[in-house]
């Protein structure tokens, strides 16, 4: 009985490992499917979250809330390339120009409108700091501002 019990456990362990591997593959594949790193078109909106090397809990919260709001309200736009979300460390080599380009003075969520391949306007969404303690107001603010920009693509 012991030998057969051990064989059953071993067979089930192998099956469990195979099943876990399969599902982890599906989850990873689903998370990346349809996401755009770079916009393939000449007209699109970019949502940048800018941060430095040092990040406090609120800085991480702004990034997380921004990702969540954009993912929740703009999934189709992300898939189509009409909207791109980028997280950028301004202290990394080659990124310091963003400080001057967008007049950055702290961690920031910046929305940029690109038409015919050139940035035509941008806004620093400074109220993200004001809404840190109210997730829904934060989401609504981000949704409203990005929607304004997306309408300018039409």
């Amino acid at each position: 009985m012991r030998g057969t019990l051990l064989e059953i456990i071993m067979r089930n362990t192998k099956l469990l490992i195979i099943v876990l591997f399969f599902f982890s593959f599906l989850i990873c594949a689903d998370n990346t499917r349809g996401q755009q790193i770079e916009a393939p078109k000449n007209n699109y909106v970019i949502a940048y979250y800018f941060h430095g090397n040092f990040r406090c809990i609120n800085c991480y919260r702004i990034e997380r809330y921004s990702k969540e709001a954009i993912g929740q309200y703009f999934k189709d736009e992300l898939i189509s390339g009409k909207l791109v979300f980028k997280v950028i460390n301004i202290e990394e080599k080659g990124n310091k120009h963003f400080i001057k380009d967008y007049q950055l003075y702290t961690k920031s969520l910046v929305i940029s409108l690109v038409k015919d391949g050139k940035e035509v306007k941008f806004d620093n969404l400074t109220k993200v700091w004001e809404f840190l303690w109210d997730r829904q107001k934060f989401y609504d603010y981000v949704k409203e501002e990005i929607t304004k920009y997306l309408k300018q693509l039409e």
Side-chain angles (χ1 to χ4, degrees):
M1 178 125 174
R2 213 173 195 186
T4 57
L5 181 60
L6 184 59
E7 289 174 16
I8 292 170
I9 291 172
M10 289 304 292
R11 263 188 278 143
N12 288 334
T13 303
K14 288 178 184 178
L15 179 62
L16 180 63
I17 291 170
I18 292 168
V19 169
L20 288 175
F21 178 78
F22 177 74
F23 280 112
S24 65
F25 176 78
L26 286 178
I27 289 169
C28 291
D30 188 52
N31 284 341
T32 58
R33 183 185 53 196
Q35 291 181 352
Q36 298 291 322
I37 304 294
E38 297 293 329
K41 300 178 180 177
N42 286 329
N43 298 320
Y44 53 95
V45 173
I46 304 175
Y48 291 107
Y49 173 65
F50 293 108
H51 66 85
N53 289 332
F54 174 77
R55 300 171 74 188
C56 66
I57 192 166
N58 292 331
C59 301
Y60 284 107
R61 181 176 291 147
I62 291 172
E63 180 181 349
R64 187 176 75 244
Y65 283 4
S66 297
K67 281 181 184 177
E68 291 171 357
I70 290 168
Q72 179 177 337
Y73 296 116
F74 302 104
K75 186 175 184 176
D76 292 340
E77 290 82 356
L78 287 167
I79 291 169
S80 71
K82 287 183 182 178
L83 176 62
V84 177
F85 180 69
K86 294 184 179 186
V87 177
I88 296 179
N89 182 340
I90 57 171
E91 293 184 51
E92 288 182 358
K93 187 177 179 179
N95 291 340
K96 293 221 183 253
H97 68 93
F98 288 113
I99 297 169
K100 186 176 180 183
D101 296 347
Y102 296 116
Q103 297 95 45
L104 302 174
Y105 56 91
T106 189
K107 284 62 172 181
S108 302
L109 180 62
V110 173
I111 309 302
S112 170
L113 178 65
V114 177
K115 286 193 169 186
D116 297 322
K118 294 183 182 183
E119 182 177 63
V120 294
K121 71 181 265 189
F122 71 89
D123 278 310
N124 187 336
L125 304 188
T126 56
K127 288 186 182 178
V128 295
W129 288 95
E130 187 179 322
F131 299 135
L132 269 178
W133 305 111
D134 188 331
R135 184 184 300 221
Q136 193 56 55
K137 281 187 180 179
F138 187 106
Y139 283 17
D140 292 343
Y141 173 56
V142 170
K143 178 184 177 186
E144 181 182 327
E145 296 302 315
I146 290 176
T147 298
K148 287 179 194 175
Y149 270 65
L150 288 169
K151 285 182 180 180
Q152 295 177 53
L153 293 177
E154 299 169 356

